[in-house]
């Protein structure tokens, strides 16, 4: 795919990794029993994929691959899990991979029923199709008139071979034989729409849930109603029966309550109120166990155990995320493994980026926790604090006292929280003299030492509190720090400077210790939020005119200004090294600004506006939360494992929409082509041999090739061994003897050839080297590049040998020496291989200095070379002196 800056298809810096904090939605769960492992598994839907949990410990077993659309209903048999999305449904093997896909419906599928080797699917147009699972072929299709019988529930009655029971919104029921395609019987119903059908433990008995809140226990063999129950909480959402010896039926409601009915006494025995904060999507009693599994759209999966004397259920295990959209997320600590999140449901939770077993909930904020414990209030809704809007955390003293400070919607007091104990803290921090109800806390920060909290109020007051004792430690300004509402507070890393900003458009710098105003400056527009990167002292300000100002708190000057967003800026985040500023806006864009260059280097568009962004302290992930979404979405930093271009985006760059990552981690494998290739924007730069003819260019040879040429004789003398190595005399295997009557050993023969020299004196037979021949050719055609290339390939000893052989005494000639000097002149003229030219010339002069004055041709060449060398050196010396002067001034001057 051809790619350029204007046509880039996705973010160049961030790739969707996975979602955190998603456990369930409004799709009923599915329970199945694995005969191989002898365990129950529960499957819950989370958008475009589903999770499978082991019921025994409620640990996550598998996450399925994503499907193109949100899943609208699920079903399962002993081997496969079926999930419908839109007009299509698929069969998943091993809780993960799609093995069969069934296409044929013309409307959205809303019911699935496994039926042996077949599966039944029903769409919203009341078209029922029976499929053969393994061949994916359509076995039978039934079409119902929606005005007369619109299918709302389906059930395969136990022991009823080849038969299914259908419930309708009109209230009637039909029993069909799907093998013979015959309607066996029509139950007139109760003139109220059917919402749920469930097989009772007794044969021929079915529970029918109605829109009116009634549960009818009906015998379908004799068409006889056995008993009727009624709940006043709205339509019945789901029904389940205990099969462990207790005749109990559970029925779910849209209010989140569960009614428990005794089938022998025909009465209500218990109510599980607020089992979920939203409608009960599904409830299932495990076979022959006193365990009830429930899930709902409040993003919770719960297991209840019935071991009490009255038959009431208590919560045994649960997996729970936020049940309402998030208000604030921030990384906690420096290891980048926990993310703190606050939500509109009033809870503060911690999600682990490593494994969900490290997740924990810090719970709801309570106005008076001691009173709740003392009185044992069951319904704590009246004493719960409003949702957290802002919070700040510091782990420096978390083991000794509270390390999290949070302000709540519409509340003056700020609560403290303890991360280690996972609970709300000891104190509520607020000024004692303020009694007005309309003043609220709007901004908070906690110092890097964990000892102090700084709180800004809507009245313009900024207070400091001690986190250990909760005592008020001072106020910035005489009465108030700002005339308008405080929009942001920040303390530097050394507790020397406090920065505050207010809605009136002023930014103020205060001395943290004595609370005195140091500096005040006005902004171009009213600030929306403020963020300080403590390590670098860089302050980011998001303004109401949708622009961003970046300020240095040391010089107190604006160093960068970034326009470009088309909506309110909701949040900002710095990269750990302070080089990037990432901003999220209501225009659904997340933009990355490069602070050193002052350019926009990345931008991507989302289908839901981002509310919060936070960057991991280790730089590996960017986390975001979005409007009307319950999860935290992780984006991996591509620059950590791939080559990424940081070129500025053009002004007319139009970003494309990037889909939010799912809960499955396979998204990081299916990288787009732009991340597989090194980078489309990376221009391959081939460095020329010489950047400019006026510049002195050095060679790329290592120093060992030229630096010690002048000292080569000294090095050889040092390395010369004192005496040649002697080979050890090897004893013969068979010792020779002298023939005779008396046996005697033969004396070893003396090696007479060892004393002879092995050096062959070639004399006049010595041939010219290739280097000499190239120099002779250079005299004719004036091209010396081949000779220079040969010389570059030689080592120091080889270079000395070649230069020594240029002399007439060693087989050379004056003409060859003249050619060598011309080659050096050529190198100095071109200003290339500058250090080689100096080294070769120095060695040449050292070797042939005695004979050079006697040859007029060589003297003439040397005169030319001398002027060239002097001219180059004077130019370089002036540059060196200028640079040294500037460096000395910078080192000594008081700036």
């Amino acid at each position: 795919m051809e790619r350029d800056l204007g046509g880039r298809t996705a973010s160049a810096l961030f790739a969707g990794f996975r979602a955190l904090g998603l456990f369930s939605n409004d799709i009923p769960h599915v329970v199945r029993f694995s005969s191989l492992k002898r365990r129950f598994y529960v499957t819950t839907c989370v958008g475009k994929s589903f999770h499978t949990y082991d019921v025994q410990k409620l640990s996550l077993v598998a996450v399925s691959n994503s499907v193109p659309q949100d899943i609208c209903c699920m079903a399962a048999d002993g081997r496969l899990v079926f999930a419908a999305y839109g007009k299509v449904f698929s069969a998943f093997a091993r809780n993960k991979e799609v093995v069969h896909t069934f296409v044929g419906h013309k409307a959205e599928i809303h019911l699935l029923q496994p039926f042996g080797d077949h599966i039944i699917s029903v769409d919203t147009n009341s078209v029922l199709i029976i499929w053969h699972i393994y061949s994916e072929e359509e076995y039978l299709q039934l079409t119902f008139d929606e005005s007369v019988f619109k299918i709302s529930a389906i059930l395969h009655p136990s022991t009823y071979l080849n038969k299914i029971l259908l419930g309708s919104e009109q209230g009637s029921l039909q029993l069909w034989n799907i093998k013979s395609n015959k309607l066996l019987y029509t139950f007139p119903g109760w003139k109220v729409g059917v919402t749920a059908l469930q097989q009772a433990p007794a044969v021929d008995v079915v529970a029918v849930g109605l829109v009116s809140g009634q549960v009818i226990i009906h015998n379908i063999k004799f068409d006889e109603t056995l008993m009727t129950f009624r709940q006043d909480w709205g339509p019945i959402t789901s029904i389940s029966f205990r099969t462990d010896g207790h005749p109990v039926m559970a029925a779910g409601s849209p209010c989140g309550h569960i009614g428990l009915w005794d089938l022998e006494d025909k009465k209500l025995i218990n109510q599980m109120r607020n089992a979920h904060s939203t409608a009960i999507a599904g409830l299932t009693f495990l076979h022959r166990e006193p365990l009830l599994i429930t899930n709902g759209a409040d993003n919770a999966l719960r297991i209840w155990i019935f071991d009490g004397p009255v038959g009431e259920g208590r919560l045994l295990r649960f997996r729970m995320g936020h049940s309402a959209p998030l208000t604030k997320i921030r990384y906690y600590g420096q290891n980048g493994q926990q993310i703190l999140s606050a939500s509109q449901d009033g809870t503060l939770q911690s999600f682990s980026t490593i494994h969900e077993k490290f997740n924990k909930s810090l719970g709801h904020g309570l106005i008076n926790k001691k009173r709740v414990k003392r009185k044992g209030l069951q319904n704590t809704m009246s004493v719960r604090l409003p949702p957290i809007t802002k919070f700040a955390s510091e782990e420096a003293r978390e083991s000794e006292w509270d390390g999290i400070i949070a302000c709540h919607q519409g509340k003056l007091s700020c609560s403290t929280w303890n991360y280690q104990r996972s609970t709300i803290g000891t104190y509520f921090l607020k000024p004692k003299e303020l009694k007005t109800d309309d003043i609220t806390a709007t901004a908070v920060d906690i110092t890097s030492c964990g000892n102090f909290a700084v709180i800004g109020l809507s009245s313009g007051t900024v207070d400091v509190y001690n986190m250990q004792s909760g005592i008020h430690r001072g106020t910035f300004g005489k009465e108030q720090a700002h005339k308008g509402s405080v929009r942001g507070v920040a303390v530097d890393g050394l507790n020397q400077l406090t920065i505050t900003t207010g809605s009136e458009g002023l930014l103020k710098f205060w001395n943290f210790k004595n609370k005195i105003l140091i500096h005040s400056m006005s902004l171009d527009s009213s600030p929306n939020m403020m963020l300080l990167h403590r390590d670098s002292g860089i302050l980011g300000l998001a303004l109401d005119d949708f622009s961003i100002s970046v300020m240095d708190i040391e010089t107190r000057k604006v160093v960068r200004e970034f326009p470009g967003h088309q909506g309110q800026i909701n949040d900002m985040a710095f990269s750990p090294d302070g080089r990037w500023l990432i901003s999220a806006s209501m225009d659904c864009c997340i933009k990355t600004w490069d602070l050193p260059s002052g350019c926009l280097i990345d931008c991507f568009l989302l289908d839901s506006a981002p509310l919060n962004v936070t960057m991991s302290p280790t730089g590996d992930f960017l986390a975001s939360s979005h409007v009307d979404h319950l999860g935290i979405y992780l984006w991996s930093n591509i620059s950590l494992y791939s080559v990424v271009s940081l070129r500025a985006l053009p002004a007319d760059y139009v970003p494309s929409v990037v889909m939010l990552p799912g809960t499955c981690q396979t998204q990081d494998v299916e990288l787009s082509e732009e991340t597989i290739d090194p980078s489309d924007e990376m221009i391959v730069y081939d460095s020329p041999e010489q950047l400019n003819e006026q510049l002195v260019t050095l060679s790329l040879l290592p120093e060992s090739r030229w630096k010690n040429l002048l000292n080569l004789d000294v090095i050889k003398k040092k390395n010369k061994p004192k005496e040649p190595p002697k080979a050890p005399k090897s004893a013969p295997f068979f010792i020779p003897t002298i023939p005779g009557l008396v046996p005697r050993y033969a004396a070893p023969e003396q090696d007479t050839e060892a004393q002879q020299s092995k050096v062959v004196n070639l004399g006049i037979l010595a041939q010219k080297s290739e280097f000499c021949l190239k120099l002779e050719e250079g005299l004719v055609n004036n091209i010396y590049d081949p000779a220079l290339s040969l010389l570059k390939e030689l080592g120091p000893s080889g270079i000395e040998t070649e230069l020594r052989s240029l002399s007439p005494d060693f087989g050379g000639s004056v003409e060859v020496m003249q050619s060598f000097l011309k080659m050096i002149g050529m190198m100095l003229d071109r200003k290339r291989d500058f250090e080689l030219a100096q080294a070769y010339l120095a060695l040449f002069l050292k070797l042939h200095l005695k004979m050079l004055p006697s040859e007029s041709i060589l003297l003439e060449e040397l005169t030319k070379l001398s002027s060239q060398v002097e001219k180059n050196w004077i130019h370089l010396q002036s540059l060196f002196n200028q640079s040294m002067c500037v460096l000395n001034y910078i080192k000594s001057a008081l700036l």
Side-chain angles (χ1 to χ4, degrees):
M1 183 173 65
E2 190 175 301
R3 300 164 54 243
D4 52 36
L5 273 174
R8 193 168 68 191
T9 58
S11 169
L13 285 182
F14 299 106
F17 183 61
R18 69 187 182 103
L20 302 177
L22 295 176
F23 300 96
S24 172
N25 60 8
D26 59 340
I27 306 301
H29 66 262
V30 175
V31 175
R32 62 195 190 92
F33 180 74
S34 172
S35 56
L36 181 63
K37 296 186 177 180
R38 309 296 298 171
R39 284 186 178 180
F40 285 101
Y41 293 95
V42 57
T43 300
T44 60
C45 174
V46 282
K48 297 178 181 178
S49 59
F50 57 82
H51 292 184
T52 303
Y53 297 90
D54 183 354
V55 173
Q56 188 173 1
K57 293 184 179 179
L58 212 55
S59 56
L60 184 63
V61 174
V63 179
S64 74
N65 295 334
S66 296
V67 294
Q69 302 177 42
D70 287 342
I71 295 173
C72 49
C73 68
M74 291 194 305
D77 58 14
R79 293 160 294 180
L80 301 173
V81 177
F82 303 93
Y85 47 95
K87 304 173 185 178
V88 182
F89 73 98
S90 298
F92 291 77
R94 294 175 291 279
N95 302 308
K96 191 172 182 68
E97 301 126 3
V98 175
V99 291
H100 302 291
T101 301
F102 304 88
V103 182
H105 281 281
K106 297 180 179 178
E108 184 176 297
I109 301 168
H110 72 114
L111 292 173
L112 290 173
Q113 176 65 50
F115 199 78
D117 289 339
H118 297 76
I119 182 164
I120 305 169
S121 60
V122 182
D123 62 25
T124 52
N125 290 342
S126 292
V127 175
L128 183 149
I129 302 179
I130 303 169
W131 309 81
H132 191 277
I133 294 176
Y134 299 103
S135 66
E136 301 178 12
E137 294 177 354
E138 188 177 309
Y139 172 75
L140 177 67
Q141 179 170 328
L142 299 174
T143 305
F144 295 83
D145 187 356
E146 290 186 65
S147 60
V148 179
F149 193 89
K150 185 172 184 180
I151 302 174
S152 59
I154 185 171
L155 173 70
H156 168 52
S158 181
T159 73
Y160 279 56
L161 189 65
N162 298 329
K163 297 173 183 67
I164 57 169
L165 182 66
L166 303 175
S168 70
E169 291 184 3
Q170 287 78 13
S172 59
L173 288 83
Q174 293 183 2
L175 185 65
W176 282 78
N177 185 322
I178 57 174
K179 186 174 183 180
S180 60
N181 191 15
K182 288 183 180 179
L183 175 62
L184 302 180
Y185 189 79
T186 300
F187 301 89
W190 298 267
K191 299 180 180 179
V192 181
V194 176
T195 58
L197 291 173
Q198 182 63 37
Q199 174 69 50
V203 180
D204 303 325
V205 179
V206 170
V208 183
L210 304 179
V211 174
S212 61
Q214 288 179 304
V215 180
I216 311 296
I217 309 298
H218 197 75
N219 188 313
I220 57 173
K221 184 175 183 180
F222 303 105
D223 192 8
E224 178 183 348
T225 298
L226 303 179
M227 57 190 82
T228 302
F229 304 107
R230 184 181 183 86
Q231 294 182 173
D232 296 330
W233 300 322
I236 303 298
T237 57
S238 53
I239 305 170
S240 186
F241 291 90
R242 283 184 71 171
T243 54
D244 60 336
H246 296 267
V248 175
M249 178 189 71
S253 69
C255 305
H257 309 322
I258 299 173
L260 298 172
W261 301 86
D262 191 316
L263 300 177
E264 283 186 352
D265 298 338
K266 301 181 181 180
K267 66 177 183 180
L268 181 69
I269 57 171
N270 217 317
Q271 299 179 31
M272 296 170 60
R273 287 185 172 269
N274 300 311
H276 288 269
S277 59
T278 59
I280 305 294
L283 53 84
T284 308
F285 276 108
L286 290 188
H287 185 61
R288 296 182 182 275
E289 290 191 35
L291 296 177
L292 176 66
I293 302 175
T294 63
N295 80 301
D298 58 351
N299 197 18
L301 173 66
R302 293 185 170 96
I303 298 181
W304 310 81
I305 185 168
F306 293 83
D307 54 359
V310 194
E312 59 186 9
R314 64 178 178 87
L315 189 61
L316 180 64
R317 285 182 286 271
F318 64 91
R319 284 285 179 267
M320 183 181 70
H322 287 294
S323 60
L326 280 61
T327 57
K328 188 80 171 177
I329 62 170
R330 283 291 180 266
Y331 269 93
Y332 181 80
Q334 295 300 314
N335 58 7
Q337 295 179 0
Q338 290 88 27
I339 300 176
L340 275 177
S341 66
S343 166
Q344 293 175 9
D345 60 9
T347 60
L348 183 65
Q349 298 193 32
S350 171
F351 294 99
S352 171
T353 60
I354 305 300
H355 196 279
E356 67 169 17
K357 68 181 179 182
F358 301 117
N359 294 355
K360 62 180 182 178
S361 174
L362 280 69
H364 283 273
L366 300 176
I367 296 173
N368 193 331
K369 189 168 66 172
K370 292 181 180 178
R371 175 172 168 266
V372 172
K373 282 188 174 181
R374 187 171 62 249
K375 293 193 174 183
L377 294 175
Q378 294 296 322
N379 187 5
T380 59
M381 297 296 290
S382 58
V383 292
R384 286 182 178 176
L385 286 168
I388 294 172
T389 55
K390 303 278 176 63
F391 67 82
S393 62
E394 180 58 53
E395 65 171 356
R397 308 300 287 270
E398 67 173 1
S399 59
E400 298 168 37
W401 53 75
D402 301 339
I404 303 170
I405 178 77
C407 55
H408 298 263
Q409 182 178 336
K411 294 285 287 185
L412 172 61
S413 58
C414 291
S415 59
T416 61
W417 298 73
N418 193 293
Y419 186 82
Q420 278 197 345
R421 295 202 308 267
S422 303
T423 181
I424 192 169
T426 313
Y427 305 109
F428 287 95
L429 307 179
K430 67 175 181 178
K432 291 183 179 179
E433 61 274 7
L434 285 176
K435 302 293 183 183
T436 315
D437 293 335
D438 57 352
I439 296 178
T440 60
T442 55
V444 289
D445 194 20
I446 190 168
T447 57
S448 57
C449 61
N451 288 306
F452 299 99
V454 183
I455 301 174
L457 306 180
S458 59
S459 61
T461 307
V462 179
D463 298 295
V464 181
Y465 297 87
N466 187 288
M467 289 294 290
Q468 183 182 9
S469 62
I471 298 174
H472 185 264
R473 291 299 187 189
T475 303
F476 291 97
K478 294 181 179 179
E479 293 183 358
Q480 56 186 25
H482 293 273
K483 294 181 180 178
S485 173
V486 177
R487 295 285 177 85
V489 293
V491 184
D492 70 345
L494 300 176
N495 289 6
Q496 293 181 347
L497 202 63
T498 303
I499 305 111
T500 63
T501 184
S503 59
E504 78 279 8
L506 289 179
L507 181 70
K508 296 185 177 182
F509 296 82
W510 309 80
N511 186 299
F512 180 79
K513 188 173 182 181
N514 56 29
K515 316 293 186 296
I516 295 174
L517 180 64
I518 299 174
H519 181 70
S520 176
M521 62 181 295
S522 59
L523 303 170
D524 296 337
S525 179
S526 178
N528 181 40
M529 68 162 296
M530 182 174 72
L531 182 68
L532 174 66
H533 188 260
R534 283 176 173 161
D535 293 342
S536 63
I538 296 295
L539 184 75
L541 287 160
L543 306 181
D544 283 345
D545 61 358
F546 311 151
S547 66
I548 300 172
S549 294
V550 181
M551 187 172 295
D552 184 1
I553 64 172
E554 293 294 328
T555 61
R556 303 186 190 109
K557 292 182 180 179
V558 176
V559 293
R560 294 287 185 271
E561 288 185 346
F562 300 124
H565 278 294
Q566 304 299 319
Q568 175 186 316
I569 298 170
N570 294 325
D571 202 5
M572 297 186 296
F574 282 102
S575 62
D577 57 3
R579 294 181 64 88
W580 297 345
L581 177 63
I582 302 156
S583 59
S585 168
M586 288 303 290
D587 59 7
C588 298
C589 280
I590 294 180
K591 296 188 175 185
T592 304
W593 312 87
D594 186 59
L595 296 183
S597 64
C599 298
L600 175 67
I601 57 173
D602 188 62
C603 175
F604 61 98
L605 195 63
L606 298 156
D607 55 0
S608 179
L611 288 177
N612 295 278
V613 287
T614 177
M615 190 81 174
S616 167
T618 57
D620 49 357
F621 291 114
L622 173 74
S624 65
S625 67
H626 300 266
V627 173
D628 295 333
H629 283 72
L630 307 181
I632 298 172
Y633 298 90
L634 294 181
W635 309 83
S636 59
N637 185 356
I638 299 176
S639 66
L640 292 184
Y641 54 84
S642 179
V643 180
V644 173
S645 169
L646 297 181
R647 292 174 61 199
L649 297 179
D652 58 348
Y653 176 71
V654 179
S656 57
V657 177
V658 177
M659 300 305 295
L660 291 174
T663 53
C664 183
Q665 296 186 14
T666 53
Q667 278 82 0
D668 60 345
V669 179
E670 300 169 4
L671 292 176
S672 55
E673 293 182 16
E674 47 235 324
T675 56
I676 296 172
D677 296 333
S679 179
D680 65 310
E681 303 156 26
M682 299 294 287
I683 297 174
V684 179
Y685 178 73
D686 293 328
S687 177
E689 293 186 11
Q690 191 172 19
L691 296 177
N692 192 295
E693 293 181 359
Q694 303 300 320
L695 298 177
V696 169
T697 305
L698 304 181
S699 70
L700 298 177
L701 294 180
E703 289 184 350
S704 59
R705 293 281 189 92
W706 56 268
K707 196 172 184 179
N708 297 317
L709 285 177
L710 288 177
N711 305 319
L712 204 59
D713 52 348
V714 179
I715 295 172
K716 285 182 177 179
K717 192 174 182 180
K718 281 184 179 181
N719 296 339
K720 185 178 180 181
K722 294 180 180 179
E723 57 182 15
K726 294 180 180 179
K729 294 181 180 180
S730 57
F733 188 78
F734 298 104
I735 301 176
T737 57
I738 297 174
L741 296 175
V742 181
R744 287 184 300 169
Y745 294 110
E749 298 179 5
Q750 297 293 327
D751 190 5
T752 56
E753 297 181 0
Q755 305 299 326
Q756 297 178 0
S757 173
K758 293 183 180 179
V759 177
V760 179
N761 188 10
L762 295 177
I764 58 171
L765 297 177
Q767 297 179 349
K768 292 182 180 179
S769 66
E770 188 177 356
F771 176 65
C772 287
L773 296 176
K774 294 293 182 186
L775 286 178
E776 289 178 350
E777 291 178 8
L779 272 178
V780 180
N781 55 23
N782 205 26
I783 297 175
Y784 296 99
D785 289 326
L788 181 61
S789 300
L790 285 174
L791 209 57
K792 283 183 181 181
E793 295 174 359
L794 298 176
S797 298
I799 293 172
E800 188 197 30
T801 303
E802 290 289 357
L803 294 191
R804 197 181 290 276
S805 64
L806 298 180
S807 171
D809 298 337
F810 292 92
S813 65
V814 176
E815 288 76 14
V816 174
M817 296 176 72
Q818 180 188 7
S819 179
F820 177 81
L821 292 176
K822 286 189 175 183
M823 183 187 76
I824 299 295
M826 179 268 296
M827 294 170 69
L828 292 175
D829 279 341
R830 294 195 301 187
K831 296 185 180 180
R832 282 166 53 182
D833 303 319
F834 192 76
E835 82 281 21
L836 294 184
Q838 303 291 336
Y840 295 162
L841 180 61
L843 181 60
F844 180 83
L845 293 175
K846 179 181 176 181
L847 296 175
H848 307 295
L849 190 62
K850 292 183 179 179
M851 70 158 292
L852 289 176
S854 60
E855 300 292 338
S856 58
I857 302 175
L858 299 181
L859 276 178
E860 186 180 346
E861 289 294 336
L862 284 174
T863 306
K864 295 179 184 177
L865 278 180
S866 176
S867 61
Q868 280 182 286
V869 171
E870 188 176 4
K871 180 182 176 182
N872 288 336
W873 172 243
I874 290 173
H875 176 63
L876 285 176
Q877 191 176 30
S878 65
L879 294 177
F880 289 150
N881 291 338
Q882 183 180 355
S883 301
M884 292 296 294
C885 180
V886 173
L887 285 174
N888 287 331
Y889 172 74
I890 292 174
K891 288 167 64 176
S892 59
L894 295 174
L895 295 177

